[in-house]
Amino acid sequence: MTHPETRVIHSVVPSLPDCRPLSPPIYQTSAFAFDDPEAFAFSLGSPEGFAYSRRANPTTRALEDTLAALEGGVAAFATASGMGAINAVLLSLLRPGDHVVAQRCLYGGTFAVFTDLAARFGIEVTYFSDTPVFQDNTKVLYVETIANPMTGVSDLPALAAAAKCAGVTVVVDNSFASPLLCQPLRHGADIVIHSTTKYLAGHSDVIGGAAVFASADLFRSTWTYAGELGAAADPFGSWLTLRGMQTLALRMERHCSNAEYVATRLLTHPAVSAVHWPGLAGHPDHAIAKRLLSGYGGVLAFDLASRAAGRAFTSKVRLAALAASLGGVETLVLHPASTSHQALDAAALRAAGIGEGTVRMAVGLEHPEDIWADVEQALDD
Ligand SMILES: *Cc1c(COP(=O)(O)O)cnc(C)c1O
């Protein structure tokens, strides 16, 4: 088996009679024409064939196969967004009366989905900080490898082992780590979710998602449901994602080293009361991160004195942009309490460990000294 650094570059492309394209072709077609009605019938109902691009498309398949190989899964399907993948997986696994136990510190959009699932479909959702409590009706354990925005790192092997005993399906959102830093299926997860919008595509130019599966049965049932939902990725989006992924290994190295540089400098700045980045020795999950991750990621958070100071910082940066998202080449900042996590009230914010003055920074690929110079001038009064 080749290394992940090699696999992101060599995606599976279809062959022509005596050659093959170096870059996967974009099959920008809604449907495929057949001579044989039986072949048509088979292809329409199977993830193996191509009949209609809402269900399967060769460009998207190249992305799915590459992702499955990177994560060590048996198969994957790609979706139009990370939220598309999250909804397809959850709606396929859950029925009214079922229970989900989810990590407390979650991506804001995912938290909103759980709130809706509870209110609209009678699905019970409870949140945990350290140890999940399983019930008789628990079907899904939901965690993020590196949690947004406070960068907590889940002890995946321990969580997965406990879930296995309880017969609970483990779903891990691996967007913040990317398959280059962690492969949750190897630690016992059943399904890995990605917002490919982030590090995988990597250039802030496409919205996409994916779900990768450890078992063929789980893949098959969820793939069928995703087709009914209409969550499929567009071939051009899949192609952009594959193109971006070819440099994933190089980009992750630089994201991680730039984040280390900024985190280390923030530690000694008088306006900053705490820095949250799993690579720091003082981070509560540093030991877990060291064991599970091959790099500590490009996202960090830091605490300023007040809500006003946090917001002011995000308006004073000049090189960095105030924007949602992360994983692109450029540095982005936001103030979670008033933007991405505004749905959380003061108590919920505290429970998730998010401070009123916390700033999240997705460190980009610029020269580290330029990023720091921008941070420093924005911290000055
Ligand atoms: C962005 C993000 C999502 C949602 O993905 P979209 O592509 O924006 O739909 C889900 N989880 C995490 C951790 C994210 O960062």
Side-chain angles (χ1 to χ4, degrees):
M1 189 76 142
T2 52
H3 294 82
E5 290 79 354
T6 306
R7 264 173 272 153
V8 288
I9 291 168
H10 295 273
S11 61
V12 187
V13 291
S15 287
L16 297 173
D18 58 0
C19 63
R20 64 195 154 77
L22 275 180
S23 167
I26 306 172
Y27 285 86
Q28 196 71 34
T29 182
S30 56
F32 300 79
F34 288 78
D35 296 323
D36 176 0
E38 266 187 49
F40 175 44
F42 169 80
S43 293
L44 202 53
S46 157
E48 269 95 63
F50 302 112
Y52 192 59
S53 287
R54 172 158 53 72
R55 291 177 164 276
N57 174 281
T59 312
T60 300
R61 173 63 49 76
L63 170 62
E64 293 164 339
D65 289 349
T66 306
L67 281 172
L70 278 173
E71 289 284 7
V74 296
F77 64 75
T79 51
S81 69
M83 295 312 298
I86 290 169
N87 277 295
V89 164
L90 291 175
L91 288 169
S92 155
L93 293 175
L94 295 166
R95 288 179 171 64
D98 287 345
H99 171 240
V100 179
V101 59
Q103 183 179 26
R104 193 172 300 281
C105 205
L106 281 176
Y107 178 71
T110 308
F111 183 74
V113 167
F114 283 131
T115 307
D116 262 356
L117 284 176
R120 298 159 69 96
F121 299 112
I123 290 162
E124 198 187 342
V125 185
T126 57
Y127 297 94
F128 74 96
S129 298
D130 296 317
T131 311
V133 178
F134 300 117
Q135 308 172 179
D136 287 346
N137 59 343
T138 308
K139 290 284 153 48
V140 170
L141 168 69
Y142 192 98
V143 295
E144 296 177 355
T145 315
I146 304 176
N148 179 49
M150 303 311 286
T151 73
V153 181
S154 296
D155 190 347
L156 295 177
L159 289 170
K164 283 267 129 75
C165 290
V168 169
T169 302
V170 181
V171 181
V172 179
D173 183 333
N174 198 31
S175 303
F176 272 46
S178 92
L180 264 287
L181 303 189
C182 185
Q183 292 117 38
L185 299 182
R186 301 190 199 286
H187 299 295
D190 298 295
I191 302 175
V192 163
I193 284 175
H194 279 287
S195 167
T196 57
T197 311
K198 313 295 168 52
Y199 289 107
L200 284 162
H203 294 75
S204 308
D205 54 8
V206 61
I207 298 278
V212 190
F213 295 80
S215 102
D217 287 348
L218 210 47
F219 165 71
R220 185 61 191 241
S221 57
T222 316
W223 172 83
T224 303
Y225 192 75
E228 291 166 16
L229 268 181
D234 175 77
F236 184 57
S238 298
W239 184 85
L240 279 173
T241 305
L242 273 169
R243 186 183 207 274
M245 276 169 62
Q246 293 184 311
T247 55
L248 180 64
L250 286 172
R251 287 186 287 106
M252 286 318 291
E253 263 182 52
R254 179 70 173 242
H255 280 298
C256 292
S257 66
N258 276 359
E260 177 168 24
Y261 184 88
V262 174
T264 309
R265 304 238 21 194
L266 281 168
L267 274 180
T268 57
H269 195 285
V272 176
S273 56
V275 185
H276 313 274
W277 184 65
L280 294 173
H283 187 285
D285 300 329
H286 179 64
I288 297 171
K290 200 167 174 179
R291 183 155 48 85
L292 296 186
L293 308 178
S294 52
Y296 299 107
V299 176
L300 57 84
F302 56 94
D303 297 342
L304 299 179
S306 64
R307 181 172 272 257
R311 268 185 89 104
F313 176 87
T314 62
S315 67
K316 287 202 280 191
V317 285
R318 297 196 195 118
L319 180 71
L322 166 57
S325 201
L326 59 117
V329 293
E330 58 287 287
T331 296
L332 305 179
V333 296
L334 62 77
H335 176 243
S338 65
T339 58
S340 58
H341 290 69
Q342 59 186 294
L344 278 64
D345 61 20
L349 274 181
R350 258 196 312 282
I354 302 170
E356 296 280 341
T358 298
V359 172
R360 185 191 83 179
M361 188 162 187
V363 181
L365 305 182
E366 301 92 340
H367 194 287
E369 287 168 18
D370 295 335
I371 301 172
W372 176 250
D374 187 35
V375 170
E376 205 170 29
Q377 68 78 27
L379 286 172
D380 285 346
D381 297 318

